Coordinates of all heavy atoms in Angstrom, one line a residue:
G526 N 188.4 127.3 66.4 CA 189.2 128.1 67.5 C 188.7 129.3 67.8 O 189.1 129.9 68.9
E527 N 187.5 129.8 67.4 CA 186.9 131.1 67.9 C 186.5 130.9 69.3 O 186.1 129.8 69.7 CB 185.6 131.3 66.9 CG 185.9 131.7 65.5 CD 186.6 133.1 65.5 OE1 186.0 134.0 66.0 OE2 187.8 133.1 65.0
P528 N 186.5 132.0 70.0 CA 186.0 131.8 71.4 C 184.6 131.4 71.5 O 183.8 131.7 70.7 CB 186.1 133.3 71.9 CG 187.0 134.1 71.0 CD 187.0 133.4 69.7
C529 N 184.4 130.3 72.4 CA 183.1 129.8 72.5 C 183.0 129.0 73.7 O 184.0 128.8 74.4 CB 182.6 128.9 71.3 SG 183.5 127.4 71.1
I530 N 181.8 128.7 74.2 CA 181.6 127.9 75.3 C 180.9 126.6 74.9 O 180.0 126.5 74.4 CB 180.7 128.6 76.5 CG1 181.3 130.0 76.7 CG2 180.6 127.8 77.7 CD1 180.4 130.8 77.7
L531 N 181.6 125.5 75.4 CA 181.1 124.2 75.1 C 180.3 123.7 76.4 O 180.9 123.8 77.4 CB 182.2 123.3 74.8 CG 182.7 123.1 73.4 CD1 184.2 122.9 73.7 CD2 182.1 122.0 72.8
V532 N 179.1 123.2 76.2 CA 178.3 122.7 77.3 C 178.0 121.3 77.0 O 177.5 121.0 75.8 CB 177.1 123.4 77.6 CG1 176.3 123.0 78.8 CG2 177.3 124.9 77.8
G533 N 178.3 120.3 77.9 CA 177.9 118.9 77.5 C 178.1 117.9 78.5 O 178.6 118.3 79.7
T534 N 177.5 116.8 78.2 CA 177.7 115.7 79.1 C 179.0 114.7 78.8 O 179.8 115.2 78.0 CB 176.5 114.7 78.8 OG1 176.4 114.5 77.4 CG2 175.2 115.4 79.2
Q535 N 179.0 113.6 79.4 CA 180.1 112.6 79.0 C 180.6 112.6 77.6 O 181.7 112.4 77.4 CB 179.4 111.2 79.2 CG 180.0 110.3 80.2 CD 179.6 110.7 81.6 OE1 178.9 111.8 81.8 NE2 179.8 109.9 82.6
M536 N 179.7 112.9 76.6 CA 180.1 112.8 75.3 C 181.3 113.8 75.0 O 182.1 113.6 74.2 CB 178.9 113.5 74.5 CG 178.0 112.5 73.9 SD 177.0 113.3 72.8 CE 176.1 111.8 72.1
L537 N 181.3 114.9 75.8 CA 182.4 115.9 75.5 C 183.6 115.4 76.1 O 184.8 115.9 75.7 CB 181.9 117.2 76.3 CG 181.3 118.2 75.5 CD1 181.2 119.5 76.4 CD2 182.1 118.5 74.2
A538 N 183.6 114.5 77.1 CA 184.8 114.1 77.9 C 185.7 113.2 77.1 O 186.8 113.1 77.4 CB 184.3 113.4 79.2
K539 N 185.2 112.6 76.1 CA 185.9 111.5 75.5 C 186.7 111.7 74.5 O 186.4 112.0 73.3 CB 184.9 110.4 75.0 CG 184.1 109.8 76.2 CD 183.1 108.7 75.9 CE 182.5 108.1 77.1 NZ 181.4 107.2 76.7
G540 N 188.0 111.8 74.7 CA 189.1 111.7 73.6 C 189.1 112.8 72.6 O 190.0 112.8 71.9
H541 N 188.3 113.9 72.7 CA 188.4 115.0 71.7 C 189.6 115.8 71.8 O 190.1 115.9 73.0 CB 187.1 115.8 71.7 CG 185.9 115.0 71.5 ND1 185.6 114.4 70.3 CD2 184.8 114.7 72.3 CE1 184.4 113.7 70.4 NE2 184.0 113.8 71.6
D542 N 190.1 116.3 70.7 CA 191.2 117.1 70.8 C 190.8 118.6 70.5 O 190.6 118.9 69.3 CB 192.3 116.7 69.9 CG 193.7 117.1 70.1 OD1 193.9 117.8 71.2 OD2 194.5 116.9 69.3
F543 N 190.6 119.5 71.6 CA 190.2 120.8 71.3 C 191.4 121.8 71.6 O 191.5 122.2 72.9 CB 189.0 121.3 72.1 CG 187.8 120.3 72.1 CD1 187.2 119.8 73.2 CD2 187.3 120.0 70.8 CE1 186.1 119.0 73.2 CE2 186.1 119.3 70.7 CZ 185.6 118.7 71.8
P544 N 192.3 122.1 70.8 CA 193.5 122.8 71.3 C 193.2 124.1 71.9 O 194.0 124.6 72.6 CB 194.2 123.0 69.9 CG 193.6 122.2 68.9 CD 192.2 121.9 69.3
N545 N 192.1 124.8 71.6 CA 192.0 126.1 72.2 C 191.1 126.2 73.5 O 190.8 127.3 73.9 CB 191.4 127.1 71.1 CG 191.7 128.5 71.5 OD1 192.7 128.8 72.0 ND2 190.9 129.5 71.0
V546 N 190.7 125.0 74.0 CA 189.9 124.9 75.3 C 191.0 125.1 76.3 O 191.9 124.2 76.5 CB 189.1 123.7 75.4 CG1 188.7 123.6 76.8 CG2 188.1 123.7 74.4

Side-chain angles (χ1 to χ4, degrees):
E527 288 296 297
C529 72
I530 306 173
L531 274 145
V532 180
T534 53
Q535 240 79 345
M536 266 191 173
L537 267 187
K539 293 182 177 177
H541 303 292
D542 199 7
F543 306 126
N545 205 26
V546 169

